[in-house]
Structures are given as C-alpha cells and as structure tokens.
Amino acid sequence: MSNDYNTIKIAFFADVVGKPGRFALRDFLTKNSSQYDLVIANIENASHGFGLTEKNYNDFIEYGVDAMTCGNHIWDKKDIHEYIEKADRLIRPINYPYGTPGVGSRIIETKDGVKIGIINALGQVFMSIIDSPWKIIENEIKNIKQITPIVILDFHAEATAEKVCLGRYCSELGLSAFFGTHTHIQTADESIINGMGYITDAGFCGAGDGVIGMDYHTSLSRFLSALPQKYEIAQGNTVIVNGVVVEIDKNSGQTVNIKRIYETMNKVEETTK
Ligand SMILES: [Fe+2]
Ligand SMILES: [Fe+2]
C-alpha cells in the first residue's frame, strides 16, 4: 500500500512461465503483496509455457493477483475458449478481430474502491497478423478516462522501437503507465514520460537457468538442428521474478514513481501447490 493518501501502488509482473514462474510469483507475493494496492500479472506462458488453464487462472487469484493480462500465447490451452467469458480478471489483447472471445480492457477496483483501467494489446512488428493497435488503444484510453484517470497498458510486442514510439504516443494521451512485455528480457529504461510510467520490457517470472524460461538443451537442439522439437520448461535451482511497481497519483492519474523488480530466489519445493 502507498504511504501517501493521494497515491496508489500498482505492481505489474511480466510473463509468468510455467510452474517455476507461478511458484516464484506466489512466494514473492506472500512476502510483498501487502505493499501494493493492486497486482497485475501477464500470464500468457503460465501453464507449461503456453497459455493458461482455468485451474491456473484460479490459482493466480488465490495468490493475490487482481488482474491478468496476456499476449500471443493466450489461446494455446484449449479450455480458455470455455472459461474466458466468465474470467472476469482476465484481459486479452484488445486488437484481435471483432468477435474474438473475451475483452481487451477492464476496470478493476482496488480494495479501497479506486478504479484502475487496464488495457492489453499486441504489437505488429515481427509478430503474427493482428489489427493495428494504435487507434484502438487511443480510443480505449479516451473511453476509460471518462470513468477513471488511472489507465494502464500492457503492450505485448517484439520490436523495441514500436514499443518506444507507442509509449511516447500514449504518454500524450494521458496514459498512467505503459508496461512492455513479450521478449522476457527486462530492460533497464524505466522512466516517467509526460507523467506516464514506462518500461520497454518488464521481463519474465520463471526459471533463471534456461532460455527465457524454457529448457536450454531443447532450445539449443532446435537451433543446432533446425528441426522442430517440443519446448520444455527450464528447471534448475534459481527462479527470477521480474516486474515493475508504479506509484500513481489518484487524482491526476500520473505516475510519480517507478521502480523495477528483479529478484532472484532459490527454487521452491515441487511438493507445494
Ligand atoms: Fe511471453
Ligand atoms: Fe508473447
């Protein structure tokens, strides 16, 4: 929780990868969640690296995650199509074609009743075909700002320049905070642009010894052989938790402080849930 009555603290955790990522986030939140007014996590890789099962969706709520964003991998587990319409904490990218199940933005309230608008969107550069996010995001920021001054965007994209340029554009539209995701590698450029908290990529939560959360040997074999091979989740003794905490003025919706989270921890026991 923020010590300042006029501000709130929002924690955002980048792509959670598999069981090592889920358990790392769970244990991090057990220690730290009392510091935050709202917790958001990108969960597109949470269920064995690809997508999100309904069970894991419910696990995250139990861990203290208030809202979940995602990305290109959100459709990888089949049961998402059955539960997404009732998953009222989940936000899928807003720039899927009209008629796609789920929603691309939500207003989530903190325990104290502060309304936070959250948007998720996909980039276009070096990504699969998707509708242009630019005007969709602009319209959605305007819509949400009729309800609350606090608006967050998780922009899930590969290309750094696309993220930087869209970030600057959003800062002119009154966005409160812009969190880049998808590369799984945290950038060190957290900053405040025109009152908007910004980071190009918040990183990932998962095994520290692999290749962006996946097993090194299977990744290596894919590169050396150029043959398709099933990815496996990395194991190993360490896990990392990557994210960002922003402190936002409740009245103006502007970020007054931004801090990266990069914590390395010992791997948790497999016997716990
Ligand atoms: Fe990811
Ligand atoms: Fe992704």
Side-chain angles (χ1 to χ4, degrees):
M1 298 282 198
S2 171
N3 294 325
D4 181 345
Y5 180 75
N6 294 311
T7 64
I8 56 162
K9 266 190 186 169
I10 298 175
F12 176 83
F13 296 92
D15 303 27
V16 178
V17 182
K19 195 187 283 180
R22 297 197 309 271
F23 285 3
L25 180 60
R26 175 199 62 184
D27 289 359
F28 186 89
L29 287 175
T30 299
K31 277 188 266 168
N32 298 292
S33 64
S34 62
Q35 298 173 39
Y36 313 131
D37 295 283
L38 194 88
V39 173
I40 309 169
N42 184 307
I43 48 62
E44 72 148 4
N45 308 109
S47 298
H48 207 72
F50 301 94
L52 181 72
T53 61
E54 186 170 14
K55 181 194 175 298
N56 289 155
Y57 169 80
N58 288 317
D59 289 340
F60 281 117
I61 293 171
E62 205 177 295
Y63 301 162
V65 174
D66 299 298
M68 294 169 231
T69 54
C70 51
N72 52 307
H73 283 298
I74 191 57
W75 312 109
D76 291 356
K77 292 282 181 289
K78 283 199 178 85
D79 67 341
I80 185 81
H81 294 277
E82 281 154 36
Y83 76 82
I84 193 168
E85 297 294 4
K86 61 178 183 193
D88 62 5
R89 312 286 187 95
L90 184 62
I91 302 145
R92 53 94 176 141
I94 196 167
N95 49 331
Y96 276 106
Y98 182 77
T100 300
V103 298
S105 77
R106 287 189 185 279
I107 310 272
I108 304 278
E109 285 192 25
T110 67
K111 288 168 205 74
D112 296 330
V114 179
K115 291 183 168 67
I116 316 291
I118 305 169
I119 307 169
N120 187 199
L122 279 167
Q124 292 182 295
V125 180
F126 306 133
M127 303 283 285
S128 297
I129 292 169
I130 196 77
D131 291 354
S132 173
W134 294 73
K135 289 296 170 185
I136 295 173
I137 290 170
E138 179 177 342
N139 288 336
E140 201 62 7
I141 292 171
K142 284 179 182 162
N143 290 339
I144 293 173
K145 284 183 84 75
Q146 313 258 337
I147 301 164
T148 174
I150 305 172
V151 191
I152 308 283
L153 172 66
D154 171 354
F155 187 55
H156 196 79
E158 181 74 32
T160 306
E162 186 183 19
K163 287 163 151 173
V164 173
C165 193
L166 183 71
R168 290 210 161 265
Y169 185 57
C170 289
S171 79
E172 294 172 355
L173 302 170
L175 188 72
S176 304
F178 177 113
F179 305 129
T181 56
H182 178 67
T183 71
H184 292 203
I185 298 298
Q186 189 177 77
T187 55
D189 61 340
E190 76 278 16
S191 56
I192 298 175
I193 307 167
N194 296 325
M196 182 193 79
Y198 175 85
I199 188 163
T200 297
D201 205 294
F204 84 109
C205 300
D209 301 330
V211 177
I212 62 170
M214 308 311 277
D215 176 64
Y216 162 63
H217 293 287
T218 47
S219 292
L220 180 66
S221 176
R222 286 172 64 102
F223 280 111
L224 289 178
S225 70
L227 293 173
Q229 192 173 336
K230 190 169 176 278
Y231 278 116
E232 291 298 335
I233 298 291
Q235 301 303 322
N237 296 324
T238 60
V239 286
I240 62 171
V241 171
N242 282 176
V244 189
V245 179
V246 283
E247 192 170 355
I248 295 175
D249 185 294
K250 279 196 265 190
N251 298 313
S252 69
Q254 295 201 328
T255 289
V256 296
N257 193 28
I258 181 166
K259 203 171 176 190
R260 268 186 295 132
I261 298 168
Y262 195 119
E263 184 149 318
T264 304
M265 308 188 299
N266 289 328
K267 189 177 177 185
V268 289
E269 292 300 319
E270 293 279 331
T271 49
T272 52
K273 185 181 173 190

